[in-house]
Amino acid sequence: MKRSGRNGFRFFKGEMNAQALRWLALETRLRRAIEREELALHYQPQVSRIDGSVVGMEALLRWRSEEIGAVPPGDFIPLAEDTGLIHPIGEWVIRRACFQNKAWQNAGLAPVRVAVNVSANQFKSGAVCAIVRKALADSGLAPRYLEVELTESVMLGDSAAAEAQMAELRAMGVSLSLDDFGTGYSSLGYLSRFPLDKLKIDQTFVRNITTEGRSAAIAQATIALAQGLSLSVVAEGVETVGQRDFLGLIGCDVMQGYLYSRPVPAHEMAQLLAKGRVA
Ligand code: C2E
Ligand code: CA
Ligand code: CA
Ligand code: CA
C-alpha cells in the first residue's frame, strides 16, 4: 500500500486495521466534498493594533461532511496532501476566495486583500500560477487583493522552481507571505533570495510571548528581520491584551487572532468589512 509510512496504512496478514479503514472512509467522503458543496471558506480579519481597522483577512478552509459533521483542517488537510486531493481542493479555495472578495467589492465594501493558504505539495505541482491567473481573470479580482501564504517547506527541494513561481506570482501583482515563520527547517538565506512581501510570526511564539523570554526574543528578532528586509509582519494567534501590547512594544502593528475575531463565515466577514473594524 503506497501510504505505508503513515500510521494505520499497513496491512496485517492481508487485512487493513480499523484505523486504515477509517482513513479510507474519510478519503472517500473528502473526494466527494467539493461536488457535494460541503467545503466552505471562513475568514479571519487581520487588524491594525493602532485603530482596530480591518486591513486584511485570511481564508481558512472548513469541511462539514453530511455524514460525519465538521472535520477540522488539521485532520483532513494531511489526508488531502497524501491523496493528491489537495490539488482540486486547493484550486477550489483559490477560486472561492477570489470570487468572494470580488463580490464584496462589487457590493461596495472597502476593498481588502484576502490571503489563501497554499501547501508546499500544491505549490510544487507547478500549477498554482496558472490557477491563480485564471481565478483572477474569471472573477475580475485585481491581483493586489490576493495574497498567497506559503510555508518554509516550499523552499526545500527544487528551490529554483519555487523561486521562479514566486517571481511569477509577484509579477502578476499577487502578494506573498511566509506563514508559520520560524517553525520550518529552512535557513535564513532564503529570505534574501525569495521574493516575499510579508512574514507571519507563528502562534507558538505569540502564545508564550509574555511568559517566556525565548519566544519573546524570537518574535522580536523576526520583527527586526522583517524591518531590515522591508517586509511587513503579522502576528498570528493573538489571544490576549498582554500579547497585543507586548507585540506593539516590539514593533508589530498588524494582528490576527481570537482577541479580535475567530475565523467567521462569509456573511459575518461581510459585516466586519462593512464596519471596517472589529468590535
Ligand atoms: P494556519 O495557516 O497557520 O492558520 C491559522 C490557524 O490558527 C487557523 O486554524 C486559525 O483558526 C487558528 N487561529 C487563529 N487565531 C487563533 C488564536 O488566537 N488562537 C489559536 N489557538 N488559534 C488561532 P485552522 O483554521 O484550524 O487551520 C489549521 C491549519 O490548516 C492552517 O494553519 C493551515 O495550515 C491549514 N489550512 C487551513 N485552510 C487551508 C487551505 O485552504 N489550504 C491549505 N493548504 N491549508 C489550509
Ligand atoms: Ca496561514
Ligand atoms: Ca500560520
Ligand atoms: Ca500553522
Side-chain angles (χ1 to χ4, degrees):
M1 195 163 183
K2 66 179 195 290
R3 291 185 301 277
S4 56
R6 282 197 85 89
N7 284 341
F9 282 86
R10 284 181 223 114
F11 287 105
F12 293 108
K13 296 177 183 164
E15 282 181 30
M16 275 183 285
N17 62 29
Q19 170 78 0
L21 281 172
R22 272 198 299 277
W23 270 72
L24 268 185
L26 198 61
E27 176 180 344
T28 307
R29 293 190 169 113
L30 186 56
R31 215 167 266 290
R32 297 188 198 123
I34 295 183
E35 65 202 46
R36 290 183 168 190
E37 298 183 12
E38 294 178 346
L39 298 179
L41 291 182
H42 283 196
Y43 298 86
Q44 187 175 36
Q46 297 175 336
V47 178
S48 163
R49 182 184 60 82
I50 315 292
D51 62 4
S53 59
V54 175
V55 296
M57 57 195 164
E58 177 177 2
L60 291 156
L61 187 56
R62 296 291 177 262
W63 175 27
R64 181 171 286 281
S65 156
E66 201 184 304
E67 296 110 330
I68 50 175
V71 186
D75 290 353
F76 72 84
I77 300 274
L79 177 65
E81 301 273 2
D82 269 13
T83 53
L85 285 170
I86 195 66
H87 301 293
I89 291 174
E91 178 169 0
W92 181 88
V93 167
I94 291 167
R95 293 184 64 81
R96 186 84 206 103
C98 288
F99 277 87
Q100 179 64 78
N101 203 16
K102 181 63 180 176
W104 282 330
Q105 293 179 9
N106 286 343
L109 297 170
V112 296
R113 197 176 279 150
V114 65
V116 294
N117 292 283
V118 171
S119 79
N121 285 330
Q122 196 186 343
F123 197 70
K124 286 175 175 172
S125 76
V128 168
C129 289
I131 289 167
V132 165
R133 198 182 292 282
K134 187 161 189 307
L136 291 170
D138 291 350
S139 65
L141 184 72
R144 67 177 174 284
Y145 295 118
L146 180 66
E147 180 170 298
V148 167
E149 292 195 3
L150 300 169
T151 55
E152 288 159 301
S153 46
V154 305
M155 275 73 114
L156 297 173
D158 188 356
S159 58
E163 190 182 349
Q165 287 188 86
M166 290 166 76
E168 191 177 336
L169 288 170
R170 281 283 298 269
M172 269 182 232
V174 172
S175 303
L176 293 179
S177 83
L178 191 56
D179 203 358
D180 305 342
F181 181 72
T183 64
Y185 299 98
S186 305
S187 78
L188 287 180
Y190 63 76
L191 283 182
S192 64
R193 179 168 157 214
F194 291 98
L196 294 161
D197 299 281
K198 185 187 279 184
L199 300 182
K200 295 191 79 174
I201 304 176
D202 190 67
Q203 46 186 279
T204 54
F205 305 121
V206 173
R207 186 176 306 133
N208 304 316
I209 203 166
T210 57
T211 54
E212 198 191 274
R214 287 161 187 264
S215 289
I218 289 170
Q220 196 159 9
T222 303
I223 292 162
L225 199 56
Q227 285 168 347
L229 294 166
S230 302
L231 302 173
S232 44
V233 59
V234 176
E236 54 178 14
V238 181
E239 294 183 350
T240 70
V241 169
Q243 290 164 351
R244 176 197 68 192
D245 291 346
F246 191 96
L247 284 158
L249 279 176
I250 61 176
C252 181
D253 292 336
V254 181
M255 316 265 136
Q256 185 181 341
Y258 296 168
L259 177 65
Y260 295 95
S261 170
R262 294 193 170 246
V264 293
H267 68 273
E268 285 181 42
M269 188 66 217
Q271 290 167 6
L272 291 177
L273 289 173
K275 270 195 295 188
R277 59 187 54 256
V278 290

